[in-house]
Amino acid sequence: MTYDTIIRNGRWFDGTGAPSAVRSIGIRGGHVVAVATEELDETGCPQVIDATGKWVLPGMLDIHTHYDVEVLDGPALSESLRHGVTTVMLGSCSLSTIHVDGVDAGDLFGRVEAIPREHVIDAVDRHKTWTTCDEYVDALEARPLGPNLAAFIGHSDMRTAVMGLVRATSKSVSPTKGEQAEMERMLAEALRAGFVGMSSQQLLFDKLDGDTCRSRTLPSTYAKPRELRRLKSMLRKAGRILQSGPDIQNPLNVGSQVAQSLGIFRNPLKTSLLSAADVKANPYAVHLMGPVARFVNRLGGNFRWQHLPVPFEVYADGIDLVIFEEFGAGAAALHLRDEVERNEMMRDESYRREFRKQYESKFGVRVWHRDFFDAHIVACPDESVIGKSFGQVGRDRGGVHPVDAFLDLVLEHGRSLRWRTTISNHRPEVLKKLAREPSVQMGFSDAGAHLRNMAFYNMGLRLLRHVNDAKQAGREFMTIEAAVHRLTGELADWYRLDAGHLRIGDRADVVIIDPAHLDESLDDYAEQPVEQYGGLSRMVNRNDAAVTAVLVGGRTVFTEGEATDLVGRQRTGRFLRASHKSPALPTEKGELTSVG
């Protein structure tokens, strides 16, 4: 037997959680064809990778991204590839680009996901050739995809396309019988095309961009129970998934979202809900999430929380950060695009009084802790404030209120004022509990969105480091095998995707990790310009020594932090249809690379 690639003597993890072992892996035709205790015959093999002392595991899955726009102009999605992510999910949070045009896509994605609106419009209008889900898949696969893709269809996408953005975001308007039928037809078409399900959103601080409906919430938040019930019924019958975000200010909405997973004389609704987080603003809520989910699942539900398994640290340029959308004064500032007009409002004492009042209010559920003593300046033309919190700056300026210190600095320096804070997941012991919680899924990276605000492309590596460090210190809270399973096979099995495993016959999506370099470099700050967004500098992760190699479909796409010639030039990934085994990709000569 000859091989296209041999990975020699690495510690092999199959993605099931089974014990790992030192093995040699033989790959041919894009699939694993040998897992051997002895060395494989390397005769005629064009690529042999020595993985001695390293971990060989299935490529990781990222179940929550907003790559829907970036994939059109930058289909390599190399920021995920370089960290061992070989399958990414599109269409999160009710947002997709299946049916809307460029302008509507710009309004949907621009503000809530902090992707420059003009680039969203340009990318969608320039590339859109599809009118159906099958045509969308074909259009994606005509590009040089780096990782594999899977997708939800977005409820806001369908609602906007059917009703128009104005009607879709009007409280007094419900879809007509014909419009409801058209949304149901769109969802049925998506399910036939292999989409994993539908994403919706009820969170009320996600706001629209543009002029027509600026600052209204996403279209899916206006859907009445009947509309949602009919769409959810289709997902139940098909055994597909609802991804959703609840209205966190309404406990009844959160409870109903969890309870809807129950079957009771019908199929359970597989539900993935945002999100399980140890929020600083409410340190007690996280302890209820696991028990509630376990209770529902014991009764026959099929419910999961999405969870970011690392500290949720965010950065901001001035006041441009989505957390300000959750209270009136912050949303009012983000509503104004004109800098002069915005600055005039921030100087107004009545506005400042209202901002201070809302900042200090202890009532209501919130995401941001609203503590400017826990928000530190990292860059500013005035170097004297760098490294200080806004609260400390206020004290230094004679006892100025933290809100006024913040607003003064924004007025003085605009977007040149850069600062950071950690919103959630700040307690390592709580992260350990969440990592073990069976109702929690590892996800919620938001890759491809919030380009200047955060970077969690390497979240899988950071979880593995957390687990490995605890093991080395004699305080193991989870085996390495279990952690790998949580990032790979567990997700693939729940979403019913042909990914996440590394056994004989499986597609050879592989990441090779050097555990010696799962170190503090994973936390380092880095930026990189995005060519397709006009050179905008976005936050990224750079810990290239941790990942020795990444393969997609048996083809090497990264080695030692460097992309191979395939990346961005040839397609290595494909669209993974739910519940389908993926056929092999054709080679350059047009021959199938399947092993049968």
Side-chain angles (χ1 to χ4, degrees), residues 12-38:
W12 162 69
F13 299 78
D14 69 1
T16 70
S20 58
V22 174
R23 295 288 186 269
S24 291
I25 313 298
I27 298 169
R28 188 175 74 245
H31 291 71
V32 176
V33 295
V35 178
T37 55
E38 68 280 358

Side-chain angles (χ1 to χ4, degrees), residues 9 53 112 134 146 182 214 216 227 258 271 288 306 352 408 423 454 474 520 524 531 549 573 586:
N9 296 330
V112 63
D134 282 321
E182 178 63 6
R214 186 171 182 80
R216 295 185 185 181
E227 175 184 339
V258 176
T271 303
L288 297 174
Q306 290 190 9
R352 288 184 171 224
D408 287 344
I423 294 174
M454 57 197 190
E520 65 278 358
D524 289 348
E531 181 181 349

Side-chain angles (χ1 to χ4, degrees), residues 150-225:
F152 291 99
I153 188 168
H155 187 194
S156 288
D157 178 8
M158 296 190 296
R159 210 168 198 270
T160 300
V162 169
M163 300 175 65
L165 192 59
V166 173
R167 293 182 65 247
T169 56
S170 297
K171 291 182 179 179
S172 61
V173 177
S174 295
T176 65
K177 185 179 293 187
E179 289 167 341
Q180 178 74 35
E182 178 63 6
M183 281 190 279
E184 292 171 18
R185 184 199 65 78
M186 289 175 170
L187 178 55
E189 174 191 275
L191 300 181
R192 286 194 301 270
F195 283 51
V196 297
M198 181 185 80
S199 67
S200 190
Q201 184 73 299
Q202 276 68 56
L203 190 64
L204 297 180
F205 66 73
D206 287 346
K207 304 292 177 59
L208 295 178
D209 207 337
D211 297 314
T212 305
C213 300
R214 186 171 182 80
S215 294
R216 295 185 185 181
T217 56
L218 291 175
S220 63
T221 65
Y222 295 85
K224 304 294 192 297

